[in-house]
């Protein structure tokens, strides 16, 4: 056998195999991601969103963690009953990109959204999270106070 022919065939086989592996991985990735639409919104309740953009920094991770801790500590019954729903989403994903305009976002955010018939009735962006994030107890108190007020205020 000619060594050049063997090498050429091996390279063609490698290139073809690489393309096949790439195609299978892309197919799997698109199936995992699902359609470019949001997961079905809840029919009713108050959704507490942590809306991130791409990779989070330590401060952003704290915002998410402190918010979830507040819900689990102070609103556990409402979480269990579905009156409050927790969602952490990345608005850089196409199916969640609409939140940027829906909630007028300019950075990562914690947003409360009251849902009725799977439609947002009212919402509130907690912009002061950036002022409170360096004081965990103050942050938790802020989220707790704002969510309690949101729950008590009729739409």
């Amino acid at each position: 056998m000619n060594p050049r022919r063997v090498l050429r065939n091996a390279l063609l086989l490698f290139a073809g195999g690489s393309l096949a592996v790439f195609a299978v991985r892309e197919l799997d990735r698109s199936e995992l991601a699902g359609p470019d639409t949001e997961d079905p919104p809840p029919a009713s309740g108050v959704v507490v969103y942590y809306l991130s953009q791409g990779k989070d920094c330590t401060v952003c991770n704290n915002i998410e963690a402190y918010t979830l801790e507040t819900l689990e500590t102070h609103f556990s019954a409402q979480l269990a009953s579905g009156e409050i729903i927790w969602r952490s989403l990345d608005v850089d994903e196409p199916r969640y990109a609409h939140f940027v305009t829906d909630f007028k976002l300019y950075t990562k955010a914690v947003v409360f959204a009251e849902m009725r018939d799977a439609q947002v009735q009212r919402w509130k962006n907690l912009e002061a999270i950036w002022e409170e994030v360096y004081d965990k107890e103050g942050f938790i108190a802020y989220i707790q106070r704002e969510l309690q007020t949101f729950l008590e205020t009729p739409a």
Side-chain angles (χ1 to χ4, degrees), residues 140-154:
I140 288 172
Y142 170 65
I143 297 290
Q144 182 182 4
R145 181 177 60 251
E146 291 295 322
L147 184 52
Q148 192 62 49
T149 301
F150 193 85
L151 292 169
E152 292 171 356
T153 306

Side-chain angles (χ1 to χ4, degrees), residues 38-49 82-85 87 98-99 102-103 111-124 150-151 155:
E38 180 191 357
D39 299 331
S44 63
V46 172
V47 182
V48 177
Y49 288 106
E83 180 183 351
I84 294 175
I85 299 110
R87 294 259 172 102
H98 67 91
F99 286 114
D102 293 352
F103 297 141
V111 174
F112 302 152
E114 182 179 353
M115 306 297 292
R116 191 174 311 124
D117 299 322
Q119 298 292 319
V120 175
Q121 299 301 304
R122 64 188 175 108
W123 57 273
K124 181 172 186 174
F150 193 85
L151 292 169

Side-chain angles (χ1 to χ4, degrees), residues 80-106:
S81 72
E83 180 183 351
I84 294 175
I85 299 110
W86 166 251
R87 294 259 172 102
S88 179
L89 306 173
D90 183 347
V91 297
D92 282 346
E93 290 185 35
R95 63 181 156 184
Y96 304 129
H98 67 91
F99 286 114
V100 174
T101 53
D102 293 352
F103 297 141
K104 299 176 177 55
L105 302 179
Y106 56 89

Side-chain angles (χ1 to χ4, degrees), residues 7-25:
L7 181 60
R8 183 192 70 193
N9 289 341
L11 288 173
L12 286 172
L13 184 62
F14 176 76
S18 295
L19 285 173
V21 168
F22 175 77
V24 168
R25 284 186 179 166

